[in-house]
């Protein structure tokens, strides 16, 4: 094993000591082909890196598009979903995925900058250098070939002159031996032979000169010029191979550099998954959909066998509108100063969750449809007095129906809407206060340094901000009062004993929270007991209520709906409908399962959303809800 390793080391050493100029002196054409292939290899590797860069860019683009596709859209219900920890974790995962895509873009950018551009420039330089080296090599070869041709030419001339001198000598010898030839002819042949010998001698000297010159040039060509040129070509090739190796190393480093950030992205996804809290999400469901209504109580017995006169309760008034009264119009004029449907939609939305749709396959199987469970109702006089005995509550009612129209929401959701509005007002108030403080400091600087500015130039802005602060503080106190009222009413309804003790003082028949007017008397069973003082009290405020609601413009329609099942609207704020009936939609479902519809100008109310099929008008603005 050690011998093999040593042998390999020696081979490597011997290989490193090899020189193309001495080892490959006669492989000019093969070296030219090899170096050409080497440049093609570099070009192929550059093309590979370029395609990899394009793949990274395309992959990053697809990842970004995927992340953008599943991001919550603005002004959509998907934004509400991200109050749950699982949805927020998914959003964090999408953000981390976006950063992950960015790292692939970094890979593509670095590959382009550090490899593709560098190799492209280097290939051009390599081609020019190779061309120069092989041009020098060809020129050297051409020179040695020309020298060889000259040597061959002088050699052939020397050979020809020698043959001619030999023939001239033979001719002279022949004539000289012939006795019949004159002496002049012999002398002429002798001179001709001497001339030829002299030419042959000159050709020999020329040949020897060219031979010596060729040998010198050949020695210089194969031992100096060609080794030098081939050595440069070898260095060029080694530099090219080294450049390719550095590019491959850079290729790996480019990918390795993004690994820490990619790891952080994956850690962020892991942390996002770890942040999911099932208990918190289930609590959030309660916070989102809790209505604050109490479950329906027991249905009261209606004993028709008794011949006694029934007391007028809220339910009997709503169902009969004047039972036990001499005149329907007189009763309405005394106790109810405005239209029933409009009053019901303002005083309360349905007091319980909507009934489920019929389970039978055909709506016709249930002629009358499911009936809404009866809710134990508090005396109407109490609820009416709550709104009539305080001017502040009158203003609250008007604002709830116009500027802060959240009466369609259950108590718990109404409280949240008001609290959110208070938070928004406080944020705006803080901004105004910060601006006022900044302008005040600026004015102090101007007073101390008049050359910096006129102190009076900020007075108008300070006055405007002061007015804004006063308005926001007024709105804040107003909404806080409404919130306190909603919370108090919610607490009273959740605790009957507290409501009973909180509404009435033990020594007087006036509400604890209201010192403006007396309230109606009520019988022990909670029904309304008519007396003249209450009748006069209601009548005295009917004008104010009529002024508040009669001039109110009806809510615009935002679409139509078709009833899928019959529904008997027996509860407050609901409206009955027959199967297949077409109605106008004036408020969509706010999350409590009820939709507000209108049959005509005088009949509107809530129906279960699951009982209808809604067709929204995309061009209609709809009923705006202000919180």
């Amino acid at each position: 094993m050690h011998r093999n390793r040593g042998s390999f080391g020696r081979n490597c050493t011997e290989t490193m000591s090899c020189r193309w100029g001495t080892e490959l002196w006669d492989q000019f054409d093969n070296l030219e082909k090899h170096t050409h292939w080497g440049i093609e290899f570099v070009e192929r590797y550059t093309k590979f890196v370029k395609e990899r860069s394009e793949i990274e860019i395309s992959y990053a683009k697809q990842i970004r598009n995927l992340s953008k596709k599943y991001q919550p859209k603005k002004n959509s219900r998907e934004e509400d979903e991200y109050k749950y920890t699982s949805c927020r974790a998914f959003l964090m995962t999408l953000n981390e995925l976006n950063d992950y895509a960015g790292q692939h873009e970094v890979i593509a950018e670095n590959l382009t900058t550090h490899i593709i551009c560098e190799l492209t420039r280097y290939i051009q330089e390599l081609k020019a250098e190779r061309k120069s080296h092989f041009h020098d090599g060809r020129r050297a070869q051409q020179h040695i070939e020309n020298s060889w041709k000259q040597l061959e030419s002088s050699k052939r001339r020397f050979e020809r002159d020698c043959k001619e001198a030999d023939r001239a000598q033979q001719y002279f010898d022949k004539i000289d031996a012939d006795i019949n030839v004159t002496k002049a002819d012999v002398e002429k042949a002798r001179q001709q032979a001497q001339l030829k010998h002299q030419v042959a001698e000159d050709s020999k000297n020329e040949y020897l000169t060219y031979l010596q010159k060729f040998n010198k040039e050949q020695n210089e060509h194969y031992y100096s010029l060609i080794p030098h040129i081939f050595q440069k070509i070898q260095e060029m090739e080694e530099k090219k191979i080294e450049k390719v190796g550095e590019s491959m190393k850079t290729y790996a480093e480019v990918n390795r550099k993004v690994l820490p950030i990619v790891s952080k992205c994956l850690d962020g996804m892991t942390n996002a998954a770890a942040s999911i809290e099932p208990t918190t999400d289930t609590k959030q469901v309660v916070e989102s959909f809790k209505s604050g209504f109490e479950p329906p109580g027991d249905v009261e017995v209606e004993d028709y066998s008794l011949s006694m006169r029934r007391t007028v309760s809220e339910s009997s008034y709503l169902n009969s509108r004047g039972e036990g009264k001499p005149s329907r119009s007189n009763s309405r004029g005394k106790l109810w100063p405005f239209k029933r449907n409009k009053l019901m939609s303002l005083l309360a939305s349905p007091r319980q969750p909507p009934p489920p749709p019929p389970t039978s396959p055909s709506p016709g199987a249930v002629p009358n449809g499911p009936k809404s469970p009866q809710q134990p109702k508090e005396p109407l006089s109490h609820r009416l007095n709550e709104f009539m005995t305080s001017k502040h509550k009158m203003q609250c009612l008007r604002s709830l129906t116009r500027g802060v129209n959240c009466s369609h929401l259950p108590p718990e959701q109404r409280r949240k809407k008001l609290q959110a509005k208070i938070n928004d007002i406080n944020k705006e108030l803080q901004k105004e206060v910060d601006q006022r403080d900044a302008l005040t400091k600026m004015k102090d600087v101007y007073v101390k340094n008049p050359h910096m500015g006129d102190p009076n130039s900020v007075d108008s802005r300070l006055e405007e901000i002061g007015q804004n602060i006063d308005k926001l503080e007024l709105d804040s106190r107003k909404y806080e009062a409404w919130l306190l009222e909603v919370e108090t009413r919610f607490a009273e309804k959740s605790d009957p004993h507290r409501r009973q003790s909180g509404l009435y003082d033990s020594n007087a028949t006036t509400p604890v929270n209201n010192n403006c007017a007396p309230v109606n008397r009520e019988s022990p069973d909670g029904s309304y007991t008519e007396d003249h003082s209450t009748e006069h009290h209601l009548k005295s405020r009917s004008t104010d209520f009529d002024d508040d609601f009669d001039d109110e413009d009806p809510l615009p329609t935002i679409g139509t709906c078709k009833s899928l099942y019959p529904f008997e609207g027996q509860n407050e704020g609901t409206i009955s409908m027959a199967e297949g009936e077409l109605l106008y939609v004036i408020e969509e479902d706010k999350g409590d399962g009820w939709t507000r519809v209108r049959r005509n100008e005088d009949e509107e109310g809530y129906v279960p959303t699951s009982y209808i099929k809604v067709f929204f008008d995309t061009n209609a603005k709809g009923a705006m809800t202000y919180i």
Side-chain angles (χ1 to χ4, degrees), residues 16 116 292 454:
M16 294 300 293
I116 299 175
D454 183 11

Side-chain angles (χ1 to χ4, degrees), residues 12 114 134 149 180 191 242 289 363 390 430 435 487:
C12 291
H114 301 301
F134 281 99
K149 288 180 181 179
N180 297 321
Q191 291 179 355
E242 182 181 2
F289 302 109
S390 172
Q430 185 62 39
Q435 291 185 14
E487 290 178 345

Side-chain angles (χ1 to χ4, degrees), residues 144 210-221:
I144 196 67
Y210 278 112
L211 179 62
Q212 184 180 4
K213 178 183 176 182
F214 174 77
N215 289 333
K216 181 180 179 181
E217 290 178 351
Q218 180 177 252
N219 184 73
E220 183 180 1
H221 176 80

